[in-house]
Amino acid sequence: MSIVTLEVVVPSQFPANRVFKAFSDFDIIAPKVNPQVFKSIETVEGNGDVGTIKIFTFGDGVPFKSAKYKVDSLDANNHSYSYSFIEGDNLMGVLDSISYHVNVVPSDKGCVFKQTVKYNCKSDEKLPEEFLKKEKELYENTYKAIEDYAAAHPETY
């Protein structure tokens, strides 16, 4: 078994609490700003806290149909949370799970969105570099789209 790690770092002009609030509403915002990737995200168990289970239905822009996701940790005071995809065709038959840790860190000019993604492979097989490059672009583009949405809705974010 091997683990492939991907780091995503995106600076933001907005304060950490505002960015974290927008990402806390990911399941509402993502299908609005990136429907080609996220058709819908539905909570099937829990209330958003640790242990909550969500079902992602993917859009036509990705080669996956659906996935099950679980909230592993949540620390709103420190603007961090962790979650894992535990089932679904996004695991491509070669992954046991995909684990994410998000931390929004305050900075002098706003904040920095940091996301660590760990692809937990079933074997020692590595994921192709081209796949990882596309994944990183997807994460960065989704972040920017959610940030733009939050900026356009200051009454909420």
Side-chain angles (χ1 to χ4, degrees):
M1 177 190 284
S2 66
I3 297 173
V4 177
T5 302
L6 181 66
E7 299 285 343
V8 178
V9 178
V10 184
S12 175
Q13 65 184 9
F14 297 106
N17 62 331
R18 192 169 169 194
V19 170
F20 188 77
K21 167 81 170 105
F23 274 85
S24 296
D25 288 344
F26 186 90
D27 51 342
I28 297 166
I29 299 173
K32 291 179 183 179
V33 301
N34 201 349
Q36 304 87 350
V37 175
F38 306 102
K39 186 174 182 181
S40 67
I41 303 169
E42 176 187 358
T43 299
V44 294
E45 185 180 314
N47 61 0
D49 290 335
V50 174
T52 294
I53 304 288
K54 298 183 181 195
I55 301 292
F56 275 54
T57 302
F58 295 104
D60 296 335
V62 293
F64 314 119
K65 293 192 187 309
S66 66
K68 186 184 282 188
Y69 142 136
K70 178 182 173 192
V71 176
D72 298 320
S73 69
L74 177 62
D75 184 349
N77 292 332
N78 290 308
H79 310 112
S80 70
Y81 66 99
S82 298
Y83 59 97
S84 299
F85 280 108
I86 54 175
E87 290 178 20
D89 58 350
N90 67 325
L91 299 178
M92 304 173 292
V94 298
L95 301 171
D96 284 323
S97 63
I98 307 170
S99 302
Y100 299 78
H101 180 72
V102 172
N103 195 16
V104 183
V105 181
S107 71
D108 292 342
K109 298 178 181 175
C111 70
V112 179
F113 176 85
K114 296 182 177 183
Q115 181 176 36
T116 302
V117 184
K118 292 187 177 183
Y119 300 88
N120 302 299
C121 303
K122 289 182 178 182
S123 67
D124 289 334
E125 186 177 330
K126 297 286 185 193
L127 295 171
E129 281 300 317
E130 187 61 28
F131 171 82
L132 295 172
K133 182 180 173 190
K134 286 183 178 184
E135 286 278 285
K136 186 171 184 173
E137 287 174 9
L138 171 66
Y139 299 137
E140 290 170 345
N141 291 339
T142 300
Y143 169 82
K144 289 172 184 163
I146 289 175
E147 183 182 69
D148 289 347
Y149 181 90
H153 297 86
E155 68 284 354
T156 306
Y157 303 102

